[in-house]
Amino acid sequence: MMKYILGIILIAVPGIYGYLGNTLIIPLYPMIAQIFFVVYWLWIGYIIGRLSKNQLQGFLFGNSLWIISLLLFIWQFMLTDNVDRNVHIAAIPQYYILSFAWLASKLSSIFFSINGTTIIIVAYVCMLFIFILGFRAGKK
């Protein structure tokens, strides 16, 4: 039970960073934060890959907050219009991917026209890709 609580805390760190970075305006250079979180998320994927006996359950556990956050983003920004959007719920998915926003903005500028929704979707894809790399390395 304790390892699951610790796991939830570890996979919540990007969201905690995003919340603190946004509300307290922590002055951390975006590129440095990006490097730290790429390494961190790769490590989280590796650890969860090593510790999970069932590959699918481990993968879903490691991405559980990612999935919830993505679903909240889709609900609030793609299925709800501006008038009905709940600003508190809409902030949660943005907090969760803030640590990958720098990388996503750089990649978005190469492949797409830059807008907030595109950057957020690319940030989610980057998080998933980096987690998968770490998870697969942990399984080997």
Side-chain angles (χ1 to χ4, degrees), residues 22 69 71-78 80-82 84-97 120 124:
N22 191 50
S69 180
L71 291 174
L72 286 174
F73 174 76
I74 292 169
W75 171 39
Q76 287 296 303
F77 289 94
M78 296 180 175
T80 305
D81 60 5
N82 290 341
D84 295 329
R85 186 172 299 145
N86 182 316
V87 294
H88 301 293
I89 294 173
I92 294 169
Q94 294 178 69
Y95 293 151
Y96 197 71
I97 56 88
I120 291 173
Y124 276 108

Side-chain angles (χ1 to χ4, degrees), residues 45-115:
Y46 179 82
I47 294 297
I48 292 174
R50 296 275 300 167
L51 296 178
S52 61
K53 291 178 178 36
N54 182 307
Q55 192 168 356
L56 180 60
Q57 285 178 344
F59 183 80
L60 290 175
F61 174 75
N63 286 297
S64 57
L65 294 180
W66 180 90
I67 292 166
I68 292 167
S69 180
L70 178 62
L71 291 174
L72 286 174
F73 174 76
I74 292 169
W75 171 39
Q76 287 296 303
F77 289 94
M78 296 180 175
L79 302 177
T80 305
D81 60 5
N82 290 341
V83 175
D84 295 329
R85 186 172 299 145
N86 182 316
V87 294
H88 301 293
I89 294 173
I92 294 169
Q94 294 178 69
Y95 293 151
Y96 197 71
I97 56 88
L98 184 63
S99 59
F100 284 84
W102 184 85
L103 177 62
S105 66
K106 299 302 177 198
L107 291 174
S108 295
S109 68
I110 295 169
F111 298 109
F112 309 105
S113 63
I114 296 180
N115 68 50

